[in-house]
Amino acid sequence: MKTLQEMALNFNKIILVSHTGGQLSSDGGLTLCVELMAKFQFTILADKLLRFNDQRRYCQHSNSSILKQLILQIIAGYSADSAATSLEKEPLFKLLLDKPSLASQATISRFWQRFDKDSVSTLQTLNEALIDRVRLLTNQTATIIDIDSTHSDTYGKQEATNYNAHYGTEGYHPLLATDQDGNLLKAVLRPGNAYTSKDVKAFLTPLLKHYQTQLPTTDILVRGDSGFATPEVYDVCEANDVFYIIRLKCNRKLQNLAEKFVKISDQTQWQEEETHYYSEIYQSASWPKPRQIYIKSTRVAGELIFSHEFIVTNLTNLTAETAFELYHKRSQMENYIKEAKTGFFFDKTDSSTFNANAARMMVSVLAYNIVNFLKQLALTKHDSGLCVSTLRIRLFKVAARVVHTGRRIQLRLSSYHVYHRLFYQALQRIQLLNNRQN
């Protein structure tokens, strides 16, 4: 990278600053991510599973190579496609991607244009294949699927963008699913005015079938807030022998049902908070059959009236208190979504076409999951909860120099890397992973 600037520092005038340090990289820790991707045979999977509307007769950069480059750029914290211009001859990226130069911004722009609806769906297929390999390594059987929606703001005239009254802004309204380990199982981009549960049956059905047939699974539990309190969700889960626990919106019928359980006596301690749990069989007018509901009634200290929460489930052998504890654990999904947005630019949908924006979202999902796999498989329990902004400081943003010798290529990292022990511990754990492939 060339620069014409050279500036003296005010605190010490004899120090001159310029970007003329030579062939140095600031992202030496990305080798951990590439080592992990190699364990999963990422490039082989991508070449096998991805499909593009690609009319090129000759190309210097394959679609899977561009995809890998974008994932590494996102993990490194480069949100804009234009970062490729500065990184085009970056020595570490060239080494990790095994090519003489990186795809330019113009090449990346054409890459997004090659996505249609079918090719976007193959990104989801690749995502599932990677998660399957992680699950085999961790011997998981039970699966908790949390479903939710979020909002991606738009600031132009992108295709299918629309006003969302709940969020009070223009944008898209993606539908997501995560598991208990924070993996993003699935994400679908939708117009901004789509209701929370719109197309949830088409979203859930293939997901449930995949995790019932592809992997050894004993139980699957689906959790969702009141936006998913719809017979579609219950019917899909029951048809696939899957457990569910969904919050219900309060209505007059449910309110009257809960009030029947409220007991007030002369011994009531009004200055202390009260919480009571109840179980009941209930049938809404839109349900073809009665279902189990649990009720949580809470009176705040100093208040006279109870507020009530309701959940519907086919887990009939739980106590009401246990059912609510299980439901409230889904709140962790909000943190996963926040991490995907702030750390991996999940909501960066600034292409003009809907399919290109859906592809951008899925590439962010892949980048998010690669780092999440790293946390699950290569870091200690103490460090596995770190967010990507911290991991960039401790692991990824390490000064590095690529040195070519007669027989080897040496990647020389900074001698003053404070977290070098964490780096080598993670690298060793990755290399010890058992290569069990399908």
Side-chain angles (χ1 to χ4, degrees), residues 317-345:
N317 58 344
L318 299 179
T319 65
E321 186 172 1
T322 301
F324 273 96
E325 288 176 358
L326 181 60
Y327 170 77
H328 286 144
K329 288 180 180 179
R330 71 168 295 278
S331 60
Q332 181 64 23
M333 186 181 184
E334 299 293 337
N335 293 327
Y336 301 147
I337 295 174
K338 182 179 179 180
E339 173 78 343
K341 284 184 169 184
T342 59
F344 297 90
F345 323 112

Short mmCIF file of all heavy atoms in Angstrom, two decimals, residues 317-345:
data_model
loop_
_atom_site.label_atom_id
_atom_site.label_comp_id
_atom_site.label_asym_id
_atom_site.label_seq_id
_atom_site.Cartn_x
_atom_site.Cartn_y
_atom_site.Cartn_z
N ASN A 317 -45.48 -32.73 30.74
CA ASN A 317 -44.99 -33.32 31.98
C ASN A 317 -44.13 -32.36 32.80
O ASN A 317 -43.45 -32.77 33.74
CB ASN A 317 -44.17 -34.59 31.67
CG ASN A 317 -42.99 -34.31 30.75
OD1 ASN A 317 -42.95 -33.27 30.11
ND2 ASN A 317 -42.05 -35.24 30.70
N LEU A 318 -44.16 -31.08 32.46
CA LEU A 318 -43.38 -30.09 33.20
C LEU A 318 -44.24 -29.40 34.24
O LEU A 318 -45.46 -29.30 34.09
CB LEU A 318 -42.83 -29.02 32.24
CG LEU A 318 -41.87 -29.45 31.14
CD1 LEU A 318 -41.47 -28.24 30.32
CD2 LEU A 318 -40.65 -30.15 31.69
N THR A 319 -43.59 -28.89 35.27
CA THR A 319 -44.29 -27.97 36.16
C THR A 319 -44.37 -26.62 35.46
O THR A 319 -43.55 -26.31 34.57
CB THR A 319 -43.56 -27.81 37.50
OG1 THR A 319 -42.29 -27.20 37.26
CG2 THR A 319 -43.35 -29.18 38.16
N ALA A 320 -45.32 -25.80 35.85
CA ALA A 320 -45.47 -24.49 35.21
C ALA A 320 -44.22 -23.64 35.40
O ALA A 320 -43.77 -22.94 34.49
CB ALA A 320 -46.70 -23.78 35.77
N GLU A 321 -43.60 -23.70 36.58
CA GLU A 321 -42.40 -22.91 36.84
C GLU A 321 -41.25 -23.35 35.95
O GLU A 321 -40.52 -22.52 35.39
CB GLU A 321 -42.01 -23.03 38.32
CG GLU A 321 -40.86 -22.14 38.70
CD GLU A 321 -40.61 -22.12 40.20
OE1 GLU A 321 -41.33 -22.84 40.94
OE2 GLU A 321 -39.71 -21.39 40.64
N THR A 322 -41.07 -24.67 35.80
CA THR A 322 -40.00 -25.18 34.93
C THR A 322 -40.23 -24.77 33.48
O THR A 322 -39.29 -24.43 32.76
CB THR A 322 -39.93 -26.71 35.04
OG1 THR A 322 -39.68 -27.08 36.39
CG2 THR A 322 -38.82 -27.27 34.16
N ALA A 323 -41.49 -24.80 33.05
CA ALA A 323 -41.81 -24.42 31.68
C ALA A 323 -41.43 -22.97 31.40
O ALA A 323 -40.87 -22.66 30.34
CB ALA A 323 -43.30 -24.64 31.42
N PHE A 324 -41.71 -22.08 32.35
CA PHE A 324 -41.36 -20.67 32.15
C PHE A 324 -39.85 -20.46 32.21
O PHE A 324 -39.30 -19.63 31.47
CB PHE A 324 -42.07 -19.79 33.19
CG PHE A 324 -43.44 -19.35 32.76
CD1 PHE A 324 -44.56 -20.05 33.16
CD2 PHE A 324 -43.60 -18.26 31.93
CE1 PHE A 324 -45.83 -19.66 32.75
CE2 PHE A 324 -44.86 -17.84 31.52
CZ PHE A 324 -45.98 -18.55 31.92
N GLU A 325 -39.16 -21.20 33.06
CA GLU A 325 -37.69 -21.11 33.10
C GLU A 325 -37.11 -21.53 31.76
O GLU A 325 -36.18 -20.90 31.24
CB GLU A 325 -37.14 -21.99 34.22
CG GLU A 325 -37.40 -21.45 35.62
CD GLU A 325 -36.92 -22.41 36.70
OE1 GLU A 325 -36.42 -23.51 36.35
OE2 GLU A 325 -37.04 -22.07 37.88
N LEU A 326 -37.67 -22.60 31.19
CA LEU A 326 -37.20 -23.08 29.89
C LEU A 326 -37.49 -22.06 28.79
O LEU A 326 -36.64 -21.82 27.92
CB LEU A 326 -37.87 -24.42 29.57
CG LEU A 326 -37.48 -25.10 28.25
CD1 LEU A 326 -35.99 -25.40 28.22
CD2 LEU A 326 -38.29 -26.38 28.07
N TYR A 327 -38.64 -21.46 28.83
CA TYR A 327 -38.99 -20.46 27.81
C TYR A 327 -38.10 -19.22 27.90
O TYR A 327 -37.62 -18.72 26.88
CB TYR A 327 -40.46 -20.04 27.95
CG TYR A 327 -40.79 -18.84 27.08
CD1 TYR A 327 -40.97 -18.99 25.71
CD2 TYR A 327 -40.86 -17.56 27.63
CE1 TYR A 327 -41.23 -17.88 24.90
CE2 TYR A 327 -41.11 -16.46 26.83
CZ TYR A 327 -41.29 -16.63 25.47
OH TYR A 327 -41.52 -15.53 24.67
N HIS A 328 -37.87 -18.73 29.11
CA HIS A 328 -37.14 -17.47 29.27
C HIS A 328 -35.68 -17.59 28.84
O HIS A 328 -35.03 -16.57 28.57
CB HIS A 328 -37.23 -16.99 30.72
CG HIS A 328 -38.57 -16.43 31.07
ND1 HIS A 328 -39.16 -16.61 32.30
CD2 HIS A 328 -39.47 -15.72 30.33
CE1 HIS A 328 -40.35 -16.01 32.31
NE2 HIS A 328 -40.55 -15.48 31.13
N LYS A 329 -35.16 -18.79 28.73
CA LYS A 329 -33.78 -18.96 28.28
C LYS A 329 -33.61 -18.59 26.80
O LYS A 329 -32.49 -18.41 26.34
CB LYS A 329 -33.32 -20.41 28.50
CG LYS A 329 -33.09 -20.73 29.97
CD LYS A 329 -32.64 -22.17 30.16
CE LYS A 329 -32.42 -22.47 31.64
NZ LYS A 329 -32.01 -23.89 31.85
N ARG A 330 -34.74 -18.49 26.08
CA ARG A 330 -34.64 -18.09 24.67
C ARG A 330 -34.19 -16.63 24.51
O ARG A 330 -33.82 -16.22 23.41
CB ARG A 330 -35.98 -18.29 23.95
CG ARG A 330 -37.06 -17.31 24.34
CD ARG A 330 -38.25 -17.35 23.41
NE ARG A 330 -37.90 -16.91 22.08
CZ ARG A 330 -37.82 -15.64 21.71
NH1 ARG A 330 -38.03 -14.68 22.59
NH2 ARG A 330 -37.52 -15.31 20.47
N SER A 331 -34.21 -15.88 25.59
CA SER A 331 -33.79 -14.47 25.50
C SER A 331 -32.34 -14.34 25.06
O SER A 331 -31.93 -13.28 24.56
CB SER A 331 -33.99 -13.77 26.85
OG SER A 331 -33.22 -14.40 27.87
N GLN A 332 -31.54 -15.41 25.22
CA GLN A 332 -30.15 -15.37 24.78
C GLN A 332 -30.06 -15.15 23.27
O GLN A 332 -29.05 -14.63 22.77
CB GLN A 332 -29.45 -16.67 25.17
CG GLN A 332 -27.98 -16.75 24.79
CD GLN A 332 -27.12 -15.72 25.49
OE1 GLN A 332 -27.48 -15.21 26.55
NE2 GLN A 332 -25.98 -15.38 24.91
N MET A 333 -31.11 -15.53 22.54
CA MET A 333 -31.10 -15.35 21.09
C MET A 333 -30.94 -13.88 20.72
O MET A 333 -30.33 -13.57 19.68
CB MET A 333 -32.38 -15.91 20.48
CG MET A 333 -32.39 -15.89 18.96
SD MET A 333 -33.92 -16.51 18.25
CE MET A 333 -33.51 -16.44 16.49
N GLU A 334 -31.46 -12.99 21.53
CA GLU A 334 -31.31 -11.56 21.25
C GLU A 334 -29.83 -11.16 21.21
O GLU A 334 -29.42 -10.32 20.40
CB GLU A 334 -32.05 -10.74 22.31
CG GLU A 334 -33.55 -10.98 22.38
CD GLU A 334 -34.28 -10.50 21.13
OE1 GLU A 334 -33.73 -9.63 20.43
OE2 GLU A 334 -35.38 -11.01 20.87
N ASN A 335 -29.02 -11.78 22.07
CA ASN A 335 -27.60 -11.49 22.07
C ASN A 335 -26.92 -12.03 20.81
O ASN A 335 -26.00 -11.40 20.28
CB ASN A 335 -26.94 -12.09 23.32
CG ASN A 335 -27.40 -11.42 24.59
OD1 ASN A 335 -27.68 -10.22 24.61
ND2 ASN A 335 -27.48 -12.18 25.67
N TYR A 336 -27.38 -13.21 20.34
CA TYR A 336 -26.81 -13.77 19.12
C TYR A 336 -27.12 -12.86 17.92
O TYR A 336 -26.25 -12.63 17.07
CB TYR A 336 -27.37 -15.17 18.86
CG TYR A 336 -27.10 -16.17 19.96
CD1 TYR A 336 -28.01 -17.18 20.25
CD2 TYR A 336 -25.94 -16.11 20.72
CE1 TYR A 336 -27.77 -18.11 21.25
CE2 TYR A 336 -25.70 -17.03 21.73
CZ TYR A 336 -26.62 -18.03 22.00
OH TYR A 336 -26.38 -18.94 22.99
N ILE A 337 -28.34 -12.36 17.86
CA ILE A 337 -28.72 -11.47 16.76
C ILE A 337 -27.92 -10.17 16.83
O ILE A 337 -27.43 -9.67 15.80
CB ILE A 337 -30.24 -11.17 16.81
CG1 ILE A 337 -31.04 -12.46 16.54
CG2 ILE A 337 -30.61 -10.10 15.79
CD1 ILE A 337 -32.54 -12.29 16.70
N LYS A 338 -27.76 -9.63 18.03
CA LYS A 338 -26.98 -8.40 18.20
C LYS A 338 -25.54 -8.62 17.76
O LYS A 338 -24.95 -7.76 17.08
CB LYS A 338 -27.02 -7.96 19.67
CG LYS A 338 -26.28 -6.67 19.94
CD LYS A 338 -26.38 -6.28 21.42
CE LYS A 338 -25.60 -4.99 21.69
NZ LYS A 338 -25.69 -4.61 23.12
N GLU A 339 -24.97 -9.77 18.10
CA GLU A 339 -23.60 -10.08 17.69
C GLU A 339 -23.49 -10.19 16.18
O GLU A 339 -22.53 -9.69 15.57
CB GLU A 339 -23.15 -11.39 18.36
CG GLU A 339 -21.81 -11.93 17.90
CD GLU A 339 -20.62 -11.21 18.53
OE1 GLU A 339 -20.79 -10.10 19.06
OE2 GLU A 339 -19.51 -11.77 18.47
N ALA A 340 -24.48 -10.84 15.55
CA ALA A 340 -24.47 -10.98 14.09
C ALA A 340 -24.55 -9.61 13.41
O ALA A 340 -23.91 -9.39 12.38
CB ALA A 340 -25.63 -11.87 13.65
N LYS A 341 -25.31 -8.70 13.99
CA LYS A 341 -25.46 -7.37 13.39
C LYS A 341 -24.24 -6.49 13.62
O LYS A 341 -23.68 -5.91 12.67
CB LYS A 341 -26.70 -6.68 13.97
CG LYS A 341 -28.03 -7.19 13.43
CD LYS A 341 -29.16 -6.35 14.01
CE LYS A 341 -30.48 -6.63 13.31
NZ LYS A 341 -31.56 -5.76 13.80
N THR A 342 -23.82 -6.37 14.86
CA THR A 342 -22.74 -5.44 15.18
C THR A 342 -21.37 -5.99 14.81
O THR A 342 -20.46 -5.23 14.46
CB THR A 342 -22.75 -5.08 16.67
OG1 THR A 342 -22.59 -6.28 17.45
CG2 THR A 342 -24.05 -4.41 17.06
N GLY A 343 -21.21 -7.30 14.88
CA GLY A 343 -19.90 -7.89 14.64
C GLY A 343 -19.68 -8.42 13.24
O GLY A 343 -18.54 -8.49 12.77
N PHE A 344 -20.78 -8.80 12.55
CA PHE A 344 -20.65 -9.45 11.24
C PHE A 344 -21.49 -8.78 10.16
O PHE A 344 -21.66 -9.35 9.10
CB PHE A 344 -21.01 -10.93 11.37
CG PHE A 344 -20.09 -11.70 12.30
CD1 PHE A 344 -20.39 -11.81 13.65
CD2 PHE A 344 -18.94 -12.28 11.83
CE1 PHE A 344 -19.56 -12.49 14.52
CE2 PHE A 344 -18.09 -12.97 12.67
CZ PHE A 344 -18.40 -13.08 14.02
N PHE A 345 -22.07 -7.62 10.47
CA PHE A 345 -22.75 -6.79 9.47
C PHE A 345 -23.92 -7.54 8.82
O PHE A 345 -24.16 -7.41 7.63
CB PHE A 345 -21.75 -6.31 8.41
CG PHE A 345 -20.40 -5.98 8.99
CD1 PHE A 345 -19.28 -6.74 8.70
CD2 PHE A 345 -20.26 -4.92 9.87
CE1 PHE A 345 -18.05 -6.45 9.26
CE2 PHE A 345 -19.03 -4.61 10.44
CZ PHE A 345 -17.91 -5.39 10.12
#
